[in-house]
Amino acid sequence: MTNDRGQTGTSGQPAGVDFVWGASTSSYQIEGAAHVEGRGDSIWDRYCRELGKVQNGDTGDVACDHYHRFREDVALMRELGVNAYRFSIAWPRVLPRGRGAANEAGLQFYDRLIDALLAAGIEPWVCLYHWDLPQALSELGGWENRDIAGWFADYTALVARHYGDRVKRFATFNEPCVFTLFGYGLGWHAPGIADRAALHKAIHHVNLSHGAAVDVLRASVAGASIGAIHNRQPCYAATPAKEDAEAALRLAAYWNDAFPYPQHFACYPPTLLEAIEPYMEPGDLARIARPIDWFGLNHYSPHYIKADSNLIGATFGPPPDDVPRTPIGWPIVPAAFRDTLLDLHGRFGLPIYVLENGTASEDKLDAAGIVQDDGRIAYLQGYTGAMGEAIAAGADVRGYFVWSLLDNFEWTAGYTQRFGIVYVDYPTQRRIPKASARWYADMIGKERRQMVPVGNNVAAAAEG
Ligand code: IFM
């Protein structure tokens, strides 16, 4: 397999291999067990404790208690028939202070999880970073400190050493545009910083950390298949006003290009270069642009952008009135997903894995013990159908992972938004597969039996 520069990756899926159907989660959103067996604080533990930052004062202290109930969750996935599970490792669980002494109990938790997945025939896909930076490192400047590339490389080496015999699929970062822009630029997420210099330093240091981690994984995991997970969404102007059109272009550079461009093309988007250049050293772009094996895409909906007085001069506006929306107001536009997949294929030339797609809906457990989430089924039908169209038009999409396996801690929305295909009754921690879980399982089953391109079966399911 070759990447966009014609270089051969050391591994990856050969053409013709079965499409991967999976489910995704992340450590802080589901694990709980925040203060047990040696786990250190992350920036989200700290952020949640700051009154008023997260709805209802919710925290990830217990979340879905996956730390103790992972066997049940693996059994659920086995029943669904998914062949891969994407989860993240909590850096502060394995290195409580982010560097230095490792926490054996934390390492063993992921051993147990990985072994249970393999025993169930489910391939583990490990993401190294899904936003839960060790608080101790944040106190040293976190992503603003250039030294973090070395700390991240050391953490990656620990993970590679420990799990590389059983795990081959690694993603370096999940949605770097979100945690840098929201966490360091707009102050909406942990660690709650809104500062121009902080944002641009963080972007560059995350990119350097990505390159360093790719090198570590390549050198230490035989047969590693490595990628990074990015959001990519069309950023439309919210109104015909010139200032909104300019704002949309500014936001798109941060959202869509600030990470994939240096990682794949060894350059920053021209509109960001001036702000990032002061933090660059000679050779940095070559350190960042290391060959990888696949492009991980998270996609939910297009953005409608308007001008703002914040430090990037842009923010998220409402979609036009005629665009359908999910219960939390996210636009439902499957055609934008199809076009994004085709654009990605043309632009980067790497195999694509969709590693997040799904919707929050107003799920209620009815008197019969059923969660009839028809809105989510319609959303998933529309989006997997659009993916089928992109594949038919030539996009090299190799897998689809639903977000999310379980209802979970949705960052500043706390537990008010349910994204799972499995309902979690938080007071009892009972798991109840929703109607969408049954739909997903049926669709996977049909795809496997009929071995025809995805989309055709989705359409058939929609017809009846
Ligand atoms: O829950 C999040 C996830 O952590 C990152 N991508 C978007 C999801 C839904 O908001």
Side-chain angles (χ1 to χ4, degrees), residues 23-31 39 66-67 85-94 106 109-110 113-114 117 124-133 152 155 159 163 169-175 229 356 403 411:
S24 289
T25 64
S26 88
S27 45
Y28 192 73
Q29 293 181 271
I30 65 163
E31 283 181 5
R39 178 185 173 280
H66 174 76
Y67 188 78
Y85 173 52
R86 194 262 287 200
F87 61 97
S88 69
I89 292 192
W91 186 350
R93 194 180 289 290
V94 297
F109 164 65
Y110 297 107
L113 173 61
I114 289 164
L117 288 165
W125 286 50
V126 163
C127 178
L128 291 167
Y129 189 82
H130 197 128
W131 308 1
D132 41 2
L133 181 70
F152 193 69
Y155 157 59
V159 170
Y163 308 116
R169 299 289 196 163
F170 289 96
T172 54
F173 285 91
N174 183 72
E175 299 184 359
I229 308 168
E356 281 187 28
W403 184 271
W411 308 112

Side-chain angles (χ1 to χ4, degrees), residues 144 166 175 185 228 340 360:
E144 288 183 71
R166 288 156 291 161
E175 299 184 359
T340 299

Side-chain angles (χ1 to χ4, degrees), residues 299-300 330 356-360 376 379-380 400 402-404 419:
H299 180 104
Y300 293 86
W330 291 13
E356 281 187 28
N357 174 247
T359 178
R376 179 174 289 104
Y379 178 99
L380 295 175
Y400 174 94
V402 69
W403 184 271
S404 178
F419 271 89

Side-chain angles (χ1 to χ4, degrees), residues 25-320:
T25 64
S26 88
S27 45
Y28 192 73
Q29 293 181 271
I30 65 163
E31 283 181 5
H35 310 292
V36 305
E37 297 190 326
R39 178 185 173 280
D41 257 2
S42 77
I43 53 174
W44 273 94
D45 294 289
R46 181 64 59 94
Y47 197 70
C48 289
R49 287 203 292 264
E50 288 171 28
L51 218 58
K53 296 279 189 194
V54 173
Q55 257 181 277
N56 302 323
D58 289 341
T59 73
D61 284 359
V62 178
C64 307
D65 197 26
H66 174 76
Y67 188 78
H68 297 112
R69 295 168 193 266
F70 71 92
R71 288 191 197 283
E72 190 185 340
D73 297 334
V74 171
L76 271 170
M77 283 190 273
R78 186 183 192 161
E79 268 174 48
L80 292 178
V82 297
N83 32 26
Y85 173 52
R86 194 262 287 200
F87 61 97
S88 69
I89 292 192
W91 186 350
R93 194 180 289 290
V94 297
L95 282 167
R97 300 196 56 74
R99 57 194 182 141
N103 175 29
E104 207 43 50
L107 286 166
Q108 284 170 10
F109 164 65
Y110 297 107
D111 275 324
R112 293 193 294 277
L113 173 61
I114 289 164
D115 290 344
L117 288 165
L118 292 172
I122 299 167
E123 187 181 15
W125 286 50
V126 163
C127 178
L128 291 167
Y129 189 82
H130 197 128
W131 308 1
D132 41 2
L133 181 70
Q135 176 63 25
L137 296 186
S138 195
E139 283 160 19
L140 298 174
W143 295 109
E144 288 183 71
N145 186 337
R146 189 179 166 100
D147 289 346
I148 201 164
W151 304 333
F152 193 69
D154 291 346
Y155 157 59
T156 304
L158 174 74
V159 170
R161 231 181 8 256
H162 213 87
Y163 308 116
D165 57 336
R166 288 156 291 161
V167 176
K168 301 299 170 193
R169 299 289 196 163
F170 289 96
T172 54
F173 285 91
N174 183 72
E175 299 184 359
C177 69
V178 177
F179 74 81
T180 54
L181 187 57
F182 289 9
Y184 290 82
L186 301 176
W188 297 348
H189 274 189
I193 296 166
D195 180 82
R196 190 178 149 76
L199 170 63
H200 296 106
K201 281 190 237 177
I203 290 172
H204 189 55
H205 298 153
V206 168
N207 276 322
L208 280 174
S209 304
H210 161 85
V214 172
D215 284 349
V216 168
L217 291 166
R218 201 64 90 198
S220 44
V221 178
S225 176
I226 306 167
I229 308 168
H230 301 290
N231 299 77
R232 225 177 156 78
Q233 274 107 332
C235 294
Y236 305 125
T239 74
K242 182 168 169 279
E243 53 271 29
D244 287 345
E246 288 167 357
L249 287 177
R250 272 196 300 278
L251 194 124
Y254 286 100
W255 197 266
N256 289 330
D257 299 336
F259 298 91
Y261 270 49
Q263 292 176 15
H264 295 271
F265 304 133
C267 65
Y268 276 104
T271 51
L272 301 188
L273 186 58
E274 197 185 320
I276 294 177
E277 216 160 23
Y279 313 113
M280 291 169 66
E281 292 184 6
D284 275 2
L285 289 169
R287 289 184 191 102
I288 293 168
R290 312 302 296 149
I292 58 171
D293 301 305
W294 43 268
F295 193 106
L297 172 71
N298 291 356
H299 180 104
Y300 293 86
S301 47
H303 293 316
Y304 297 85
I305 304 302
K306 55 183 189 170
D308 193 89
S309 59
N310 64 21
L311 62 85
I312 60 161
T315 195
F316 303 91

